[in-house]
Amino acid sequence: MTLTEPIRDPKQVQAFLAYYRRKGNARNQVLVTIALHTALRTSDILNLKGNDVYDFSTCRVKTQITLTEKKTGKSKTIALHKTIIKALKSYFPQASPNAPLIMNTTTNKAISRVQAYRILNEAANIIGITHKVGGHSLRKTFGYHAWNNGISPVVLMEIYNHSSYKVTKRYLGVSQDNQNVAYTSLCFDKN
């Protein structure tokens, strides 16, 4: 199994996020947007149903979702970023309450994990990302950029259900370069 890496360059993350929006593919845009902004595993995203993200009685996108993670069996509540809400609003006419949110239109089931991988790699290849990109890459991208923006490692450990700081640090690919920046960016001598 190939190890995945986060997308470290913020400009590449923005281009990745914009790829399917520019193509006008709302389903794939929702997949990418949810993956980048929630750190959910692909299997958990593919298990989402329309009624998990929409309140069909009020015709509104929910502001948070609650789900049980497939791998861990733990319940998790996730506040939805405004970018997810915007993507879901454009996708709303295509979703139905009990149908998979990310649906294969020919089978009326959720797309496969292989298809999700292909969707992610198409965008990565077009924008020039040279390493393999899969669902875990986007989980790692979320954490890598959260880490670099000052989100507490304890919060990230909780999001990922990791048992230790060391596991989270390794998972996110926090490298020697990041440590070097920490060493060289602080200046206590103002003279």
Side-chain angles (χ1 to χ4, degrees):
M1 180 177 212
T2 307
L3 291 177
T4 61
E5 291 292 322
I7 304 169
R8 289 180 171 85
D9 182 346
K11 289 180 182 176
Q12 283 186 319
V13 175
Q14 291 170 354
F16 191 86
L17 191 56
Y19 177 72
Y20 284 109
R21 184 174 49 236
R22 283 193 319 271
K23 280 188 81 170
N25 188 322
R27 180 199 69 186
N28 293 355
Q29 177 63 30
V30 166
L31 171 66
V32 168
T33 304
I34 290 174
L36 276 170
H37 287 91
T38 63
L40 285 173
R41 290 175 184 85
T42 301
S43 59
D44 291 325
I45 295 170
L46 297 181
N47 278 337
L48 290 173
K49 306 282 186 231
N51 57 14
D52 291 327
V53 297
Y54 298 114
D55 182 339
F56 283 87
S57 64
T58 63
C59 297
R60 292 183 184 215
V61 175
K62 294 180 179 181
T63 57
Q64 67 181 25
I65 58 174
T66 301
L67 58 102
T68 301
E69 291 182 316
K70 190 174 179 179
K71 181 177 179 180
T72 65
K74 293 181 180 178
S75 180
K76 177 175 270 199
T77 299
I78 299 169
L80 297 182
H81 189 274
K82 63 184 178 182
T83 306
I84 297 173
I85 293 170
K86 184 177 178 180
L88 287 168
K89 283 180 181 178
S90 68
Y91 189 54
F92 179 70
Q94 299 173 40
S96 59
N98 295 313
L101 183 64
I102 311 297
M103 187 165 39
N104 179 327
T105 54
T106 59
T107 65
N108 291 331
K109 295 180 181 178
I111 65 171
S112 68
R113 290 179 62 199
V114 171
Q115 182 62 21
Y117 177 82
R118 287 182 191 135
I119 289 166
L120 301 178
N121 265 278
E122 176 185 329
N125 290 334
I126 295 296
I127 66 169
I129 296 173
T130 56
H131 60 83
K132 292 275 187 211
V133 172
H136 254 66
S137 301
L138 302 187
R139 277 175 59 83
K140 290 177 180 185
T141 298
F142 170 90
Y144 179 84
H145 289 280
W147 180 290
N148 285 329
N149 283 301
I151 301 298
S152 167
V154 174
V155 171
L156 292 172
M157 285 172 52
E158 187 75 20
I159 287 170
Y160 291 123
N161 289 314
H162 288 162
S163 59
S164 74
Y165 170 75
K166 187 176 181 178
V167 170
T168 301
K169 186 175 152 183
R170 186 177 65 241
Y171 184 79
L172 298 178
V174 176
S175 65
Q176 187 63 46
D177 291 345
N178 298 106
Q179 293 176 36
N180 291 346
V181 167
Y183 288 130
T184 60
S185 65
L186 292 175
C187 181
F188 297 106
D189 184 6
K190 300 297 179 189
N191 294 324

